Amino acid sequence: TEVVWVNNVLDEIQIHLKEQPFAMVVKDLEHESRLMRAMFTTLDVRLLRECSVPLHFVDKASHAMPRKVLAAVDLSRPEDQFQGFNDRLINEALKLAMQCKAQVEILYAYDMTSMQTDAENLGHKSFWFGSNLAESLHEAQSEAFRELTERNGIEPEACHMVMGDPAKVLTIFCEAQGIDIVVMGRIHHRGLAKYVGSTVERVLYKMPSSVLVITPQAPTV
């Protein structure tokens, strides 16, 4: 155990991560006001953007060990997905649940509104989002989700596909289901679809549970 008192915490963390192959950074979630978050980038968000190893943000721990673990997957824009990343998120959730003897749930928040916005920006609203195509997209996403959960051995009753904004769906689902920890990706897409300030940053200070954030490049825990 090493205790270090420094002015620039982020720099010191990054130095330690470069010097030794740490498997994870565990940190308490600091709740700052919206005004403070608007004016300054918090240490939590800076870690999200700059830290390559898994980040476990601990908050509101109701139980000494997690009883319910949720893996939040994303199947949108498959052409931009990091290959196998959703499988890895589920695997991390399963390993954590096995160690804690916890229950595992899988959630895919299916954002049809975002797809419609993308289509409108391309000027193809009437072509892309006729009722037939919307139904076809939903069926394709449902099938992809079923294949993902089946190959990872998840029982159907533990799989949830909910239409809506991912950030809102996640927070409502976790509150309603009493989730202790959410396993999710810092980014799910690359290329033009990759952006900082994604779902993780939007939900980090709203979640009623702890959050384990995985990056595609990070080593397996």
Side-chain angles (χ1 to χ4, degrees):
T1 301
E2 180 181 0
V3 179
V4 183
W5 188 280
V6 295
N7 289 325
N8 195 319
V9 179
L10 180 63
D11 286 349
E12 191 67 22
I13 291 174
Q14 295 285 37
I15 290 171
H16 275 68
L17 292 175
K18 290 178 181 178
E19 291 178 345
Q20 300 183 50
F22 289 100
M24 181 182 295
V25 173
V26 181
K27 186 186 179 301
D28 63 319
L29 190 61
E30 296 182 57
H31 287 276
E32 302 285 357
S33 67
R34 287 188 178 182
L35 178 60
M36 288 294 293
R37 297 203 304 268
M39 295 176 61
F40 305 100
T41 304
T42 65
L43 176 60
D44 295 340
V45 172
R46 292 183 69 189
L47 281 170
L48 271 177
R49 297 178 179 182
E50 300 180 36
C51 183
S52 60
V53 303
L55 291 163
H56 186 177
F57 290 104
V58 181
D59 184 42
K60 300 178 181 178
S62 301
H63 307 113
M65 297 181 71
R67 296 180 182 177
K68 286 190 175 183
V69 178
L70 176 69
V73 300
D74 179 9
L75 297 163
S76 63
R77 298 192 183 100
E79 69 280 0
D80 292 318
Q81 287 286 346
F82 288 92
Q83 186 174 5
F85 190 39
N86 284 315
D87 295 89
R88 184 181 167 206
L89 292 175
I90 295 176
N91 184 255
E92 296 292 347
L94 288 171
K95 288 194 297 182
L96 178 61
M98 184 179 298
Q99 293 170 353
C100 302
K101 297 181 179 179
Q103 175 183 338
V104 174
E105 304 285 336
I106 312 296
L107 174 67
Y108 172 33
Y110 176 51
D111 191 359
M112 180 69 80
T113 303
S114 176
M115 291 186 176
Q116 184 171 1
T117 300
D118 290 342
E120 290 175 358
N121 289 338
L122 292 172
H124 299 304
K125 180 176 180 181
S126 60
F127 174 76
W128 285 106
F129 265 83
S131 59
N132 291 337
L133 185 57
E135 183 177 349
S136 298
L137 283 170
H138 180 74
E139 291 176 355
Q141 293 285 290
S142 298
E143 179 63 20
F145 184 54
R146 184 188 62 79
E147 291 177 358
L148 172 67
T149 55
E150 282 188 354
R151 70 171 173 261
N152 284 283
I154 309 299
E155 296 296 328
E157 58 268 23
C159 303
H160 313 274
M161 181 172 168
V162 182
M163 187 177 295
D165 176 75
K168 293 181 180 179
V169 170
L170 264 172
T171 52
I172 293 172
F173 186 90
C174 289
E175 182 72 40
Q177 298 295 323
I179 300 297
D180 293 297
I181 180 168
V182 179
V183 180
M184 60 190 303
R186 182 174 68 88
I187 51 175
H188 277 279
H189 302 105
R190 53 189 166 189
L192 294 177
K194 170 183 172 180
Y195 59 96
V196 175
S198 57
T199 304
V200 185
E201 290 188 24
R202 293 175 59 200
V203 303
L204 192 60
Y205 296 102
K206 300 177 181 178
M207 293 293 288
S209 60
S210 298
V211 181
L212 175 58
V213 184
I214 309 294
T215 65
Q217 299 85 0
T220 303
V221 178

